[in-house]
Amino acid sequence: MSADEPLLCGIDAGTSQVRALVFTTEGTVVASAAEPTPIRILGPDSAELDAEGLWQVVLAVLRRVTAQVPDPKAIRSVAVASVGEAGVLLGEDDLPLTPIIAWYDTRTTGELDRLLSTIGFERLHRITGLCADPTFSLLKLMWLKREAPAAFSAARHWLNVGDFIAWRLSGERATDYSLASRTLMLDLEQRSWATAVLEATGIPSALLPPLLASGTALGHVRPEMADATGLPADCMVGVGGHDHVCGLIAAGADRPGVLLDSLGTAEALSLISEAPLVDPALGWDGFNQGVIEVDRPLYYVFGGLPTAAASVEWFRALFAGVDHATLIAEADAAPAGSEGVLFLPHLRLGSPPFPDPIGRGAFVGLSAATSRGAMFRALLEGIALDGANILKTMQKHLGIVAPEQVLAIGGSTRNQLLMQLKATAYGTPIAVLDLPDTTCLGAALLGGLAAGAFTSLADARSRLAVPQHLVLPDPGWSVDHRVHRQLLYAAAYSALRPLHARLLDG
């Protein structure tokens, strides 16, 4: 790295961590820092964050990362990737009026019922491209309007989590299309706020920020924020995006036929589509659509498992925080098929093609002889089989036999056993990108575009040296065995879903 080479900072405000990395324009990591996301768990399906507390964590992470850079003045840009769905209401004085409701919070199930009775599932899908569930931003705003009417009436702005951080840095309010795609308030085809949805729900359009392309320049870091973070005052703040989509940008998966499997606390499988798909069956099967705009608008189909790595961390906590390596070794020693045990990883919501706002997980087939290793292997197989179900149904809707290539990013790709199980369940090799943090890199590239460090997204990616390795399916699994496990998995879910509903009813 030469002394005058520009550096780019990417922030990822995620479910479990807030991370900041500083990169060269070739994608080499210069500095990194992370802190836990300050989440407050309120119940099994509800959680929230204090907006100011989150901001203080962001400041701490930025101070730590800039302190590692020999000359922080070389940092020319910063942009933010974040979870979708979650946001903050701001009052006349720009202070937060309510906590940030966590993206996965389902206290809003009653609002979803009211919304569907007003607009209808298929009309909502036609406008927004989404399978309506209680987590989307619109339902959170409806809930706040009912539960905190004084705060809602006093609100002047609503910002997604990533937009809130960018606003605190730059003083400018805006959102990008990928985060807007997760609100249930975006007209997907028109790429504008959905007037019909807002009018039907009584949400003022004035609350919502302007829509801008990712990589657009918002403005320089405010002087007081430069002092608080260590970023230079002439550092450009760029428009970022949804965390999974920022990973897609860095991975180069914005091409038809390339499946991106983004493996974080939640998992997202994405495929580019030439235009929005209007068949309501896509929504009934639990799939969502969105749009990302950098050089041009690109539509994508999105299917996710809300508790992928979250299932792993839940299991570890049950066994006093046993380390990953020990669990993986035990699971690797267990036989394929996990001694007859199945795991359903729906610890929070269901996943396509089993959308379920009250989804619950389960171990099935336990015996007195079941080992911890077999249980953990079943957990990993469950994540893999869930992804295979998502992919199979996605292919059906997109009319493709199989993706031309499968790329994988995210922290869980370091689990070699999980990746082999996934390749086996998918029936195809998976190219794992060996990047320390693809989401932060995607955000950094968008910031670099905003600062003029690149002439285009293609220019930005052409400079990256992205190492990868190929994970092959387990040759010990025959096609018949793979299909049999997938059928058993689907059957277990179908059998348990009504029981879970009865259990919740008491």
Side-chain angles (χ1 to χ4, degrees):
M1 184 181 75
S2 64
D4 59 350
E5 181 178 358
L7 300 178
L8 318 172
C9 181
I11 300 171
D12 176 15
T15 305
S16 56
Q17 281 192 320
V18 176
R19 297 185 292 271
L21 275 72
V22 175
F23 300 88
T24 67
T25 53
E26 287 76 36
T28 301
V29 176
V30 174
S32 65
E35 296 280 351
T37 302
I39 196 79
R40 294 195 297 260
I41 305 299
L42 305 179
D45 297 305
S46 59
E48 63 187 25
L49 300 86
D50 174 71
E52 186 58 34
L54 173 64
W55 174 242
Q56 292 302 317
V57 169
V58 173
L59 288 179
V61 169
L62 285 173
R63 284 194 295 268
R64 284 179 54 202
V65 81
T66 55
Q68 299 171 40
V69 178
D71 181 11
K73 292 180 181 179
I75 303 174
R76 308 314 307 143
S77 66
V78 60
V80 187
S82 79
V83 296
E85 298 90 44
V88 58
L89 282 174
L90 301 172
E92 190 74 49
D93 54 4
D94 283 338
L95 294 177
L97 295 169
T98 62
I100 298 171
I101 301 173
W103 69 265
Y104 52 81
D105 194 301
T106 57
R107 281 177 284 176
T108 51
T109 300
E111 271 61 41
L112 176 61
D113 294 339
R114 284 182 277 277
L115 178 65
L116 293 178
S117 68
T118 301
I119 298 181
F121 183 94
E122 292 192 1
R123 187 181 177 209
L124 270 175
H125 178 266
R126 178 67 184 84
I127 295 171
T128 67
L130 299 176
C131 166
D133 74 40
T135 65
F136 291 118
S137 313
L138 172 62
L139 286 310
K140 293 174 169 62
L141 286 171
M142 291 172 63
W143 188 87
L144 289 169
K145 184 181 178 184
R146 179 169 60 86
E147 293 291 327
F152 188 87
S153 296
R156 295 296 177 266
H157 304 283
W158 181 88
L159 294 172
N160 289 295
V161 165
D163 308 326
F164 169 69
I165 295 169
W167 165 67
R168 292 294 296 261
L169 289 169
S170 69
E172 298 295 329
R173 297 182 184 90
T175 194
D176 90 297
Y177 292 96
S178 66
L179 282 172
S181 295
R182 305 300 295 170
T183 64
L184 205 61
M185 295 182 282
L186 182 73
D187 186 315
L188 188 63
E189 188 172 9
Q190 299 299 320
R191 303 199 315 283
S192 63
W193 293 119
T195 303
V197 175
L198 296 175
E199 289 178 349
T201 54
I203 304 300
S205 60
L207 280 179
L208 305 179
L211 290 157
L212 296 176
S214 296
T216 300
L218 285 174
H220 293 110
V221 171
R222 292 186 293 158
E224 61 269 33
M225 292 299 102
D227 292 340
T229 63
L231 293 168
D234 62 349
C235 175
M236 180 60 70
V237 181
V239 177
H242 189 203
D243 47 13
H244 293 296
V245 174
C246 286
L248 180 148
I249 287 170
D254 52 349
R255 295 172 285 130
V258 178
L259 176 80
L260 181 74
D261 195 345
S262 177
L263 290 151
T265 301
E267 179 178 2
L269 281 77
S270 306
L271 272 168
I272 295 296
S273 173
E274 294 297 333
L277 303 179
V278 297
D279 184 355
L282 186 74
W284 288 118
D285 274 346
F287 288 96
N288 295 304
Q289 298 178 81
V291 61
I292 175 72
E293 183 170 338
V294 184
D295 299 328
R296 61 189 178 90
L298 285 172
Y299 294 95
Y300 53 90
V301 178
F302 177 100
L305 169 61
T307 46
S311 294
V312 173
E313 295 311 306
W314 164 80
F315 190 87
R316 289 181 63 231
L318 293 181
F319 291 94
V322 58
D323 63 275
H324 291 93
T326 297
L327 285 175
I328 292 168
E330 291 177 359
D332 202 19
S338 307
E339 299 175 3
V341 178
L342 278 172
F343 177 72
L344 303 179
H346 306 131
L347 300 183
R348 183 189 298 132
L349 303 169
S351 56
F354 311 120
D356 186 357
I358 58 169
R360 288 294 183 269
F363 278 105
V364 181
L366 297 176
S367 76
T370 300
S371 65
R372 184 174 72 177
M375 290 180 69
F376 191 63
R377 185 182 183 96
L379 185 149
L380 298 181
E381 287 187 359
I383 294 171
L385 290 168
D386 200 81
N389 275 328
I390 292 172
L391 176 56
K392 179 181 177 181
T393 314
M394 188 183 290
Q395 290 171 189
K396 178 189 72 175
H397 286 294
L398 288 170
I400 61 175
V401 176
E404 297 171 14
Q405 185 181 25
V406 178
L407 300 177
I409 61 173
S412 291
T413 60
R414 293 190 290 270
N415 184 333
Q416 185 68 15
L417 176 59
L418 173 62
M419 297 316 299
Q420 186 181 47
L421 289 170
K422 280 183 145 301
T424 303
Y426 294 2
T428 188
I430 297 176
V432 176
L433 304 190
D434 298 317
L435 294 169
D437 194 310
T438 316
T439 300
C440 280
L441 177 58
L445 296 181
L446 293 172
L449 280 170
F454 310 113
T455 58
S456 65
L457 182 57
D459 174 41
R461 282 206 297 255
S462 71
R463 307 190 194 191
L464 300 178
V466 182
Q468 60 180 258
H469 68 273
L470 202 63
V471 178
L472 302 176
D474 184 345
W477 280 45
S478 67
V479 173
D480 288 344
H481 181 66
R482 171 165 57 88
V483 171
H484 178 64
R485 293 294 288 180
Q486 289 172 344
L487 290 173
L488 285 175
Y489 179 85
Y493 182 84
S494 298
L496 289 175
R497 180 174 181 174
L499 177 60
H500 287 156
R502 289 174 60 189
L503 287 170
L504 286 174
D505 286 342

